[in-house]
Amino acid sequence: MGQIVELDVRPYLRQKLEPFKQIMNVVDCLEPNDLFVLHATFKPTPLLGFMKAKGYTHKVEEQAEDHWIAAFAKGKEAQVRLASLSLRAFAEHVEEAAVDEQ
């Protein structure tokens, strides 16, 4: 079973920085059955098409006005996990971590 790799680019986006390089650094390290979970301040529509062209399927949910979660899977095992994955759990996890850091 693959890993779940999370990346929160909301701090970059809030500072008007382009996080594409950070995202691609993670994508380049993914194994076939890994899941990639991305936190962004908006629906990452351009990235969805880019990742589809690379062979990834995705699932996207808005968690709050400035918190979208996109999850990506490539391998068959990962795609099955993605279909049953609740993205809300990732939102709660990230928000708890942010509160702990303050």
Side-chain angles (χ1 to χ4, degrees):
M1 185 180 291
Q3 300 181 69
I4 296 176
V5 181
E6 273 187 273
L7 178 63
D8 188 348
V9 296
R10 292 176 300 161
Y12 289 94
L13 295 168
R14 288 181 183 127
Q15 293 178 34
K16 307 277 191 257
L17 299 173
E18 173 56 59
F20 188 74
K21 184 175 192 249
Q22 287 77 10
I23 294 168
M24 287 302 102
N25 286 343
V26 171
V27 170
D28 289 343
C29 294
L30 293 174
E31 296 294 325
N33 283 308
D34 288 348
L35 290 176
F36 174 40
V37 178
L38 178 71
H39 300 265
T41 57
F42 59 89
K43 184 176 182 179
T45 304
L47 183 64
L48 301 179
F50 181 83
M51 293 294 281
K52 183 177 181 179
K54 290 179 79 62
Y56 286 85
T57 58
H58 67 270
K59 184 177 196 176
V60 182
E61 292 178 9
E62 183 178 15
Q63 303 301 317
E65 186 176 319
D66 66 342
H67 188 184
W68 285 78
I69 298 178
F72 301 91
K74 190 171 190 176
K76 217 169 233 346
E77 179 184 307
Q79 290 176 356
V80 170
R81 288 172 57 208
L82 178 64
S84 64
L85 192 66
S86 168
L87 299 184
R88 177 152 310 281
F90 290 99
E92 293 166 359
H93 163 75
V94 169
E95 296 311 321
E96 286 174 9
V99 169
D100 289 345
E101 290 175 4
Q102 292 178 359

